[in-house]
Amino acid sequence: GAEAKQLSRGMVASDAGNDPAQGCASFIAQIIVLSHPGELKVGFTPVVDVHTAHVPCRVAEILSRIDRSTGQEVERNPEGIRNG
């Protein structure tokens, strides 16, 4: 195993013998719109901040819209999403 002092900022540590970390071309994310002046649609490219990395990620598909108060899906494959 690696000791903490062997790791530098930006490195990823994982169990190499059991499902090691890998790069990816795409991922599924839950997007929570807190404050945005318009509607977010396919093609929107926010900058995603994960620890010290700042990576632009293009929205390729919106799978569903979820009601914040109930957690229930209210619309499947919406054209866009807004605040609230």
Side-chain angles (χ1 to χ4, degrees):
E3 294 186 25
K5 62 185 173 188
Q6 294 175 295
L7 302 175
S8 300
R9 176 175 269 193
M11 291 179 137
V12 175
S14 68
D15 185 348
N18 183 24
D19 195 22
Q22 300 177 28
C24 67
S26 65
F27 59 93
I28 295 175
Q30 180 181 25
I31 299 172
I32 300 171
V33 182
L34 298 175
S35 176
H36 191 272
E39 186 173 40
L40 304 182
K41 295 186 174 193
V42 170
F44 176 67
T45 307
V47 173
V48 176
D49 296 317
V50 180
H51 299 287
T52 60
H54 310 287
V55 183
C57 294
R58 185 180 151 280
V59 175
E61 181 180 9
I62 301 174
L63 302 176
S64 64
R65 187 168 59 87
I66 306 292
D67 183 300
R68 287 186 344 185
S69 60
T70 65
Q72 299 297 313
E73 181 181 274
V74 293
E75 185 178 2
R76 187 163 288 248
N77 298 314
E79 286 194 25
I81 52 176
R82 296 180 162 275
N83 291 350

